[in-house]
Amino acid sequence: MGIGMILIERGMISREQLDEAIGEQRRSGERLDKVLLRLGHTRREDIVFALGEQFQMPVVDMSELEIDPETLEALPASLVYRQNCVPVRRDNGTLTIATSDPFELSALDELRLLTGCSIELVLADEQELHRFIRRHYGVGGDTLAEMDAGAPVELEAGADQDIEQAQEASVIKLVNDILAEAVSERATDVHIEPYEHELIVRYRIDGVLQRASVPPTINRFSAAIVSRLKIMANLNIAEKRRPQDGRITFVKRERGKPAQEFDLRVSVIPMMFGEGVVLRVLSRTAVLMSLDDLGMSESMRNRWDALIARPHGILLVTGPTGSGKSTTLYASLARIVTDAIKAITVEDPVEYNVPGVNQIQVNTKTGLTFAAGLRSILRHDPDVVMIGEIRDKETAETAVQASLTGHLVFSTLHTNDAPGATTRLLDMGVEPFLVSSSVEGVMAQRLVRRICPESHEKFSPDPADLPPDFELSPGEQLTRGVPARANRNTGYRGRVGVYEMLRLSDATREMIMRRASAPEIAAQAGRDGDLTRLREDGFEKVRAGVTTIDEVTRALAV
């Protein structure tokens, strides 16, 4: 019985859907199961089940298999990648091999000759099989196996040889594999780090660095990988003594899915055993988040809405690098921009395209700095201005003057908390009366990992493990993630913001005039009810089952 009839008998598709898929198959030449999936008529697990019944093959769940290393070594990595199959069990001269393609059985004879065993096939989902191969045999393992056959061991080479190696198809494929894996795993940064005897690749996922699974032989091709990245970023491939910065546009294409475009900010720095590379991953096609999606409490969002609706003044968002400041600013802009409001931004780089907003890219080589861009755009009659970051006195003073002449100014600062933003402006050299009269509010934020929505449980914590200022009601339970494949065995998936908001009152403005310290301003704002602290918001999210105490403690260092 064919796969179509099996799916109909099991109630997984209708006759009309099968007829549509057969018609599409005749036009495209694809296999029927691939067409059914592409049209969205059935699920991958249903296809695997039907194929197993059609070919009378047992179906295995690769995510639940624990396979000993000796069995995995029964087949060379090159064959595993080429035939898309994995040895899963060895027993009494029989080697059980998982495959996702029961139509392609020509490899059976090769596997028998190579292993000297009888071969028994089981069926696995294609995506699960690919994920298993990447995890156990390494990203780009097939490419490395091919390269390893005749690659030079010397890591040092002239510029011409570097260019030649970097433009080989195998090196291009290896680098693309590493970048595609980073994108698939939702990495925000890719770290490529050379050491004396190994090359380590790490991905920052949900704010935490995790080592990527790459074969040890990747160390032999460290120079070629860095050279390839330099070529992609239009950097000087011969310069190995100075730091360099560049950008790469990377497009990930998957069959049946729209192409995803990413901007990669590239930083190359000479190190002891070669050049280290860090790539910041920015998605051009990512959906712009709204303020409602960021994780602010309703009361805090209402107060922030009131601030961003003001006609003039400065609103600052503070926090360390990678804490989501730009996302908050973009969401705020999207909230208030209408046909009646003109908004212009000066950014480095432009991370998201915001409809209805004029966005300018900083270019220091041509003299287009934050301060210069801000001075110029004020002549374009904007209502709202966003400056990517206030880095110096010139930018700060220009922003203050813009706010005092009737503009609403958004910007970011690198401070640990909201009250510290006012003292940072004073430290830059801005006069106290200017800071006091221009700044309307400050939002400080961090990102904490979100408990995996698919795999979590309730538990009763030990009171001794709770922070002193975290109060737990008798019998109250908290939530924690359960390690699973969906969350890379961390118990977390995705991130959510933790926020601290300071609204300036007459009392705090007077303290700024007197150059009061950040703790003094925080104490006064707390008494006036104008300050919500990061810890308070973080612990509220713990009680709501959004994140954990450990995660809040890690992110806030409390």
Side-chain angles (χ1 to χ4, degrees):
M1 191 186 300
I3 186 172
M5 294 308 298
I6 292 173
L7 290 170
I8 286 179
E9 280 199 358
R10 300 294 180 271
M12 296 171 177
I13 61 172
S14 66
R15 182 76 225 189
E16 291 75 19
Q17 289 174 324
L18 178 59
D19 290 341
E20 181 189 355
I22 291 173
E24 177 67 22
Q25 181 192 25
R26 288 171 180 155
R27 285 189 294 272
S28 67
E30 285 181 89
R31 273 181 13 207
L32 184 59
D33 58 314
K34 303 286 186 186
V35 175
L36 286 165
L37 276 177
R38 179 162 57 81
L39 294 176
H41 290 338
T42 188
R43 302 175 303 169
R44 292 197 341 261
E45 48 265 43
D46 294 339
I47 290 289
V48 174
F49 172 82
L51 286 173
E53 186 169 331
Q54 180 183 2
F55 287 88
Q56 297 183 338
M57 292 171 60
V59 176
V60 295
D61 185 348
M62 298 301 296
S63 64
E64 295 181 354
L65 287 181
E66 291 292 336
I67 305 171
D68 64 88
E70 190 176 332
T71 300
L72 290 174
E73 292 170 4
L75 295 181
S78 57
L79 185 63
V80 168
Y81 279 96
R82 189 171 74 248
Q83 300 293 352
N84 197 32
C85 62
V86 171
V88 296
R89 189 170 59 252
R90 199 172 200 163
D91 188 30
N92 295 328
T94 299
L95 185 65
T96 302
I97 292 179
T99 179
S100 62
D101 188 358
F103 296 94
E104 182 56 65
L105 302 178
S106 59
L108 278 176
D109 291 337
E110 182 183 0
L111 295 174
R112 287 193 192 97
L113 287 173
L114 184 67
T115 62
C117 299
S118 299
I119 301 298
E120 185 177 289
L121 293 179
V122 294
L123 196 61
D125 174 73
E126 185 176 15
Q127 289 190 15
E128 293 292 345
L129 191 61
H130 285 165
R131 189 177 289 115
F132 183 92
I133 291 173
R134 288 198 306 268
R135 187 167 69 248
H136 289 87
Y137 292 89
V139 178
D142 53 340
T143 309
L144 283 168
E146 293 172 11
M147 294 166 65
D148 208 29
V153 179
E154 295 293 329
L155 293 179
E156 293 297 331
D160 292 341
Q161 189 173 345
D162 278 353
I163 294 173
E164 185 179 334
Q165 289 180 9
Q167 291 179 330
E168 288 182 3
S170 52
V171 175
I172 292 172
K173 184 176 183 300
L174 175 60
V175 171
N176 286 345
D177 284 346
I178 292 172
L179 298 181
E181 176 76 0
V183 167
S184 297
E185 296 292 344
R186 303 177 297 106
T188 54
D189 301 86
V190 181
H191 294 242
I192 299 173
E193 305 164 338
Y195 294 92
E196 186 173 7
H197 300 297
E198 63 178 339
L199 181 73
I200 291 178
V201 179
R202 295 194 288 174
Y203 301 145
R204 188 176 294 280
I205 301 171
D206 293 336
V208 178
L209 278 173
Q210 301 179 32
R211 193 159 172 169
S213 175
V214 292
T217 52
I218 198 172
N219 181 55
R220 293 163 54 92
F221 310 101
S222 173
I225 291 169
V226 173
S227 297
R228 173 60 191 165
L229 289 169
K230 282 183 171 181
I231 289 173
M232 294 171 74
N234 294 316
L235 301 178
N236 183 354
I237 197 171
E239 178 58 75
K240 300 185 178 182
R241 299 166 300 173
R242 296 179 181 174
Q244 296 187 71
D245 296 310
R247 291 204 178 100
I248 295 171
T249 297
F250 178 71
V251 181
K252 185 188 179 190
R253 293 182 173 88
E254 288 185 277
R255 189 170 55 190
K257 296 182 180 180
Q260 292 178 282
E261 196 167 317
F262 296 85
D263 265 336
L264 309 180
R265 281 189 282 169
V266 184
S267 175
V268 183
I269 298 180
M271 295 185 177
M272 182 72 74
F273 299 105
E275 292 176 284
V277 184
V278 174
L279 303 100
R280 168 63 60 88
V281 183
L282 304 170
S283 174
R284 283 188 180 180
T285 50
V287 178
L288 189 66
M289 298 181 75
S290 71
L291 279 177
D292 299 328
D293 301 325
L294 298 183
M296 292 185 195
S297 65
E298 185 176 355
S299 61
M300 186 174 292
R301 190 171 64 248
N302 290 339
R303 282 179 284 160
W304 185 248
D305 279 338
L307 287 174
I308 64 178
R310 296 193 178 192
H312 54 77
I314 294 180
L315 296 177
L316 297 171
V317 180
T318 77
T321 301
S323 59
K325 300 187 296 296
S326 296
T327 301
T328 299
L329 288 181
Y330 283 126
S332 302
L333 277 177
R335 186 84 145 201
I336 62 174
V337 168
T338 64
D339 289 341
I341 292 178
K342 177 162 183 172
I344 307 181
T345 73
V346 187
E347 307 169 61
D348 183 22
V350 174
E351 296 185 20
Y352 296 93
N353 294 322
V354 185
V357 176
N358 300 271
Q359 295 173 273
I360 299 171
Q361 173 81 45
V362 164
N363 187 341
T364 52
K365 291 180 181 178
T366 61
L368 181 53
T369 61
F370 281 119
L374 180 55
R375 285 195 303 271
S376 298
I377 65 178
L378 291 178
R379 293 192 283 272
H380 273 242
D381 187 32
D383 300 293
V384 180
V385 174
M386 184 184 109
I387 315 163
E389 183 183 346
I390 294 178
R391 296 177 178 173
D392 50 43
K393 179 182 178 182
E394 184 183 10
T395 307
E397 288 184 335
T398 310
V400 167
Q401 293 300 330
S403 72
L404 295 176
T405 53
H407 302 87
L408 181 63
V409 180
F410 291 98
S411 192
T412 70
L413 273 178
H414 287 289
T415 63
N416 289 329
D417 57 13
T422 56
T423 55
R424 175 63 57 87
L425 291 174
L426 297 177
D427 291 341
M428 285 182 178
V430 183
E431 292 297 329
F433 73 91
L434 291 175
V435 176
S436 172
S437 56
S438 61
V439 177
E440 296 292 338
V442 185
M443 174 86 79
Q445 67 180 76
R446 300 288 190 277
L447 291 177
V448 295
R449 289 183 290 175
R450 189 190 291 268
I451 293 171
C452 179
E454 298 178 22
S455 186
H456 57 268
E457 63 183 9
K458 292 284 187 180
F459 75 106
S460 299
D462 185 342
D465 295 334
L466 300 177
D469 53 346
F470 185 88
E471 296 181 2
L472 197 66
S473 304
E476 183 180 358
Q477 288 189 310
L478 300 181
T479 306
R480 63 186 173 195
V482 176
R485 173 175 47 83
N487 54 54
R488 289 180 62 93
N489 293 316
T490 62
Y492 300 98
R493 183 173 176 85
R495 290 189 289 177
V496 65
V498 174
Y499 300 94
E500 173 176 290
M501 186 187 298
L502 169 68
R503 292 181 300 180
L504 267 64
S505 63
D506 291 341
T508 48
R509 292 182 195 280
E510 185 181 336
M511 295 180 73
I512 293 171
M513 292 285 289
R514 294 189 280 106
R515 292 183 177 271
S517 66
E520 291 174 319
I521 293 173
Q524 180 62 50
R527 288 191 292 271
D528 296 341
D530 289 324
L531 178 64
T532 302
R533 302 311 300 254
L534 283 166
R535 292 168 65 139
E536 298 170 26
D537 191 45
F539 289 155
E540 281 303 312
K541 287 180 169 63
V542 170
R543 290 190 175 91
V546 175
T547 189
T548 64
I549 288 179
D550 289 343
E551 187 61 14
V552 171
T553 303
R554 180 192 66 83
L556 305 185
V558 296

